[in-house]
Amino acid sequence: MALLLIDQGNSNTKIQVRSLSGEILQATQSIVNFEQNQFLQSNKPPISHIALASVAKAEAKQWLKESLTKQLGSEVLLVEAETETELSMPNTKILNSYRDPSQMGIDRWLAVVAGVTRYPNRGIVIVDSGSAVNIELVNSNAQHLGGYIIPGFTAMIQTLYNGTGQVKVDRQPDSYSVEPGDKTLDCVNNGIAGAIVGLITDSISRLTAQSLAEDIQVVMAGGDSAKLAPLISSPTEIVPDLVLDGLFQWFNVKCI
Ligand SMILES: Nc1ncnc2c1ncn2[C@@H]1O[C@H](COP(=O)(O)OP(=O)(O)OP(=O)(O)O)[C@@H](O)[C@H]1O
Ligand SMILES: CC(C)(CO)[C@@H](O)C(=O)NCCC(=O)O
Ligand SMILES: [K+]
């Protein structure tokens, strides 16, 4: 018996097959063609449960849900953000800041589930830098204090490229700097890196002030985390599969 976990983002869909005890048996970054998908056809042990966390457009989510049921013959459990979620550790539940949790992207909530599971009783700032960058502030009582959503690096570059006559930067550097630039390329790249790093740094300061904690842990996921992490002065851990880890924790508590 195995569990299929899916994180459908706005650009990529990450997938893992795990045993019911959490061991990762298979992992892949994308599924394009279900009918020919070796990944889903070669599964041993057979998949008994499917959990889907999606922030994609309604049609893409529906297509994925239907394709999975057709291909694998199991119902798909569609996971959604909620007011509070019990964790596997005793007496720990995470509390949502959203008045209407149905408006919160499930990837954000699962990142909080995974972050608190990794760092219970600790103030955490979670940064997921993908198509969008979202930042979550969580205090040491597992209360989500709110967060931020800004365009990702690529989206910011594209906005300048499309919206101006002369700011035609079309590539990102291999590493980020926040030094003031002396040519267009550096002004744009360092400016965008500075905007993201500045918001992360401000989030750390806010959480420190609000929760009277000094040892804030930063947890990062998403395509830009390796480039952003060196610019953050607080302890930082990169957890590439943070959302899938959270999805497993969620399933483990609710369904196993
Ligand atoms: N080699 C790379 N290839 C693609 N993107 C990269 C690479 N290196 C860094 N990036 C950055 O990673 C971002 C994509 O990150 P990620 O793969 O986490 O996005 P995503 O899965 O589309 O996010 P979402 O969950 O929002 O859909 C790009 O916007 C880009 O800024
Ligand atoms: C912010 C993103 C795009 C990050 O993937 C996603 O979590 C989302 O679509 N959220 C919905 C809006 C919200 O969380 O308030
Ligand atoms: K993101």
Side-chain angles (χ1 to χ4, degrees), residues 9-10 55 98 103-108 128 132-134 149:
N10 281 299
V55 295
Y98 267 41
Q103 301 295 306
M104 176 188 262
I106 182 61
D107 56 345
R108 300 178 60 197
D128 191 347
V133 177
N134 57 283
I149 302 169

Side-chain angles (χ1 to χ4, degrees), residues 127-191:
V127 182
D128 191 347
S129 52
S131 311
V133 177
N134 57 283
I135 301 178
E136 314 306 332
L137 284 70
V138 186
N139 74 13
S140 55
N141 296 321
Q143 166 77 58
H144 180 252
L145 299 176
Y148 299 102
I149 302 169
I150 58 172
F153 208 107
T154 304
M156 289 204 225
I157 283 204
Q158 277 167 359
T159 300
L160 281 172
Y161 194 101
N162 295 332
T164 63
Q166 293 185 27
V167 192
K168 297 297 185 189
V169 173
D170 59 3
R171 65 196 157 87
Q172 297 181 33
D174 295 332
S175 64
Y176 291 161
S177 161
V178 296
E179 290 301 312
D182 56 8
K183 56 177 185 293
T184 312
L185 184 72
D186 291 350
C187 288
V188 169
N189 280 326
N190 300 8

Side-chain angles (χ1 to χ4, degrees), residues 1-34:
M1 298 252 281
L3 169 60
L4 180 65
L5 303 170
I6 305 173
D7 164 20
Q8 185 179 32
N10 281 299
S11 333
N12 293 316
T13 298
K14 294 181 190 145
I15 306 168
Q16 285 179 351
V17 177
R18 293 203 191 195
S19 68
L20 295 190
S21 61
E23 188 196 348
I24 299 171
L25 306 173
Q26 274 179 290
T28 187
Q29 286 280 357
S30 68
I31 23 175
V32 182
N33 187 334
F34 265 93

Side-chain angles (χ1 to χ4, degrees), residues 3 72 93 99 103 106 127 146-147 151-152 201 208 227 233 248:
L3 169 60
L72 297 169
K93 60 181 171 194
R99 268 180 250 177
Q103 301 295 306
I106 182 61
V127 182
T201 306
T208 305
K227 293 189 212 169
S233 53
F248 176 76

